[in-house]
Amino acid sequence: MIPTLYIIVPCYNEEKVLPVTSRMFSEKIGALIGNGKISEASKVLFVNDGSRDNTWKIITELTEKNFRFAGLALSRNRGHQNALWAGLMEAKRYADITISIDCDGQDDINAMDAMIDAYYDGCQIVYGVRKERKTDTAFKRITAEGFYHCLKWLGAEVVFNHADYRLLSKRVLEELANFKEVNLFLRGMIPLVGFKSTSVYYERKERLAGKSHYPLGKMVSLAFDGITSLSVKPIRMIIALGIFVSLISFAAIIWAVVRSFMGKTVIGWTSTMCVICFMGGIQLLCLGVIGEYIGKIYMETKQRPKYIVEKSAGLCAEKEDLPAETKNGRIEQPPI
Ligand code: UDP
Ligand code: MG
């Protein structure tokens, strides 16, 4: 059976780039259908993540002009990971495979062919991996690669230089739906699902228009989310630090008592302050890290919905509800 592909595209304030990239997505999906690799029912699903510009207006116009486009509007901005999750979870009702991609044209759309070929070879997950980071600034390259090394060192399994450009099969999506966590870090969660997987390499380009939504602050927050969602090693490091500091303190206490018995005690304000500051600092640092995990547990226990769909456009209720001629594969490729 020819699989139905849904290309999932999260969009936040992307009015500048959407008119350009929507055409690219439509052409790609048309070519893939033409090659007989994917079914006629395949679509591009845009997820509007509470944009404040004309993004949703553009999406609805696209869905009216071309039935290959569909849209979902979240009730507010929930961030890239949640928007992507919303798209994947909604698409799994209609699609046999999904490919998630950013809407700014940075990821090479032609890598999709190789991804689908890998799916035909039996892979359930195909990771899009950047060959090199020529278009990134030196700062972004060093921080991003450092982040992957740091995650690996902390014991979290992630694919090096892979972001959120990937193919997932329906089987993987169904298993992924059982992951109930609300702090989403998809590139760490997906390797946990397992199944046969592979990587496809591509060159990452500059954004076609608009500007990045990941300034340094957001990148650090995503990195922190990634580490704390995937690894408890920081807590273990605190325990090791606690043991180390306690041993030193114990030795210092013995030394102080011995000095006191020898009658050589000098009560110094400086040393007292140093100890208080040192201990206070270490304790606050440890409390901060532990607090981060407690905060996560707090959020998890709430079991809040990860997204709320406000409205949709161009989506059928179920795959069976598709028009008969689409099911039989007789619909012509529409004009873009
Ligand atoms: N995005 C989103 N919600 C947000 C921020 C970003 O859906 O709150 C989308 C954005 O429209 C884009 C993708 O996530 O399609 C990646 O964002 P961006 O290109 O700004 O990140 P960068 O490539 O610079 O890391
Ligand atoms: Mg981008």
Side-chain angles (χ1 to χ4, degrees):
M1 197 190 77
I2 303 178
T4 298
L5 167 71
Y6 266 50
I7 301 178
I8 315 293
V9 192
C11 309
Y12 178 58
N13 293 345
E14 299 284 15
E15 64 181 7
K16 288 210 181 91
V17 85
L18 208 50
V20 188
T21 49
S22 59
R23 180 174 282 269
M24 288 163 51
F25 293 134
S26 162
E27 280 168 4
K28 184 83 230 167
I29 218 160
L32 287 167
I33 293 170
N35 292 343
K37 285 191 176 177
I38 56 171
S39 85
E40 287 276 355
S42 301
K43 278 182 190 271
V44 182
L45 174 61
F46 296 106
V47 184
N48 176 37
D49 185 18
S51 302
R52 272 177 265 130
D53 64 1
N54 283 322
T55 300
W56 180 243
K57 189 165 167 271
I58 297 171
I59 293 172
T60 44
E61 280 167 11
L62 287 169
T63 59
E64 279 155 20
K65 279 193 222 135
N66 185 339
F67 68 85
R68 294 257 180 267
F69 291 124
L72 277 181
L74 302 193
S75 57
R76 53 159 294 169
N77 177 248
R78 294 299 310 265
H80 176 207
Q81 297 289 292
N82 287 58
L84 184 50
W85 178 272
L88 294 172
M89 289 303 120
E90 295 298 316
K92 80 177 169 20
R93 293 158 62 199
Y94 319 102
D96 301 308
I97 41 176
T98 58
I99 295 180
S100 49
I101 187 166
D102 292 353
C103 83
D104 54 11
Q106 284 194 279
D107 299 315
D108 181 9
I109 204 161
N110 293 320
M112 287 188 188
D113 296 73
M115 287 184 174
I116 295 168
D117 288 345
Y119 170 76
Y120 275 105
D121 285 344
C123 291
Q124 305 282 323
I125 305 173
V126 187
Y127 300 101
V129 177
R130 294 175 201 186
K131 273 193 207 144
E132 48 203 307
R133 290 175 168 268
K134 269 191 268 177
T135 55
D136 285 348
T137 59
F139 179 74
K140 178 132 186 171
R141 191 171 59 240
I142 291 165
T143 49
E145 291 188 347
F147 169 60
Y148 286 107
H149 287 303
C150 178
L151 271 180
K152 199 164 184 199
W153 178 70
L154 288 168
E157 195 188 326
V158 283
V159 177
F160 194 72
N161 270 343
H162 157 71
D164 285 300
Y165 184 24
R166 69 175 85 80
L167 178 146
L168 298 175
S169 72
K170 195 186 193 80
R171 182 71 213 279
V172 170
L173 291 170
E174 276 162 2
E175 298 302 334
L176 200 61
N178 295 324
F179 284 59
K180 299 295 177 203
E181 63 217 73
V182 293
N183 291 287
L184 292 176
F185 185 67
L186 284 165
R187 65 191 90 163
M189 286 161 70
I190 283 158
L192 298 175
V193 178
F195 297 113
K196 188 177 170 190
S197 64
T198 189
S199 298
V200 161
Y201 295 85
Y202 69 97
E203 305 270 0
R204 190 160 148 112
K205 296 171 242 162
E206 301 268 13
R207 223 175 201 284
L208 290 178
K211 59 178 179 4
S212 169
H213 302 95
Y214 275 96
L216 184 62
K218 265 202 182 175
M219 249 164 55
V220 170
S221 144
L222 180 73
F224 212 74
D225 260 353
I227 292 168
T228 51
S229 313
L230 292 171
S231 167
V232 288
K233 210 164 169 181
I235 293 188
R236 305 223 173 97
M237 282 157 58
I238 288 176
I239 297 168
L241 182 69
I243 293 170
F244 177 68
V245 172
S246 305
L247 284 175
I248 291 179
S249 308
F250 188 62
I253 289 165
I254 294 175
W255 175 73
V257 171
V258 169
R259 296 276 293 178
S260 143
F261 274 124
M262 289 163 71
K264 290 181 182 167
T265 37
V266 181
I267 301 165
W269 180 83
T270 315
S271 56
T272 312
M273 285 306 287
C274 287
V275 170
I276 290 172
C277 292
F278 177 68
M279 291 311 294
I282 294 280
Q283 280 172 355
L284 280 180
L285 176 79
C286 298
L287 276 176
V289 178
I290 293 168
E292 180 62 31
Y293 282 95
I294 294 175
K296 286 237 146 61
I297 296 168
Y298 173 64
M299 294 308 289
E300 296 294 348
T301 54
K302 284 184 191 290
Q303 300 259 311
R304 285 178 178 156
K306 286 195 272 276
Y307 67 92
I308 298 168
V309 175
E310 190 182 343
K311 45 200 170 195
S312 73
L315 274 178
C316 302
E318 292 294 341
K319 200 171 173 182
E320 284 66 40
D321 296 346
L322 291 168
E325 50 290 27
T326 310
K327 272 194 232 161
N328 300 336
R330 277 194 276 113
I331 276 193
E332 296 290 306
Q333 168 67 0
I336 301 152

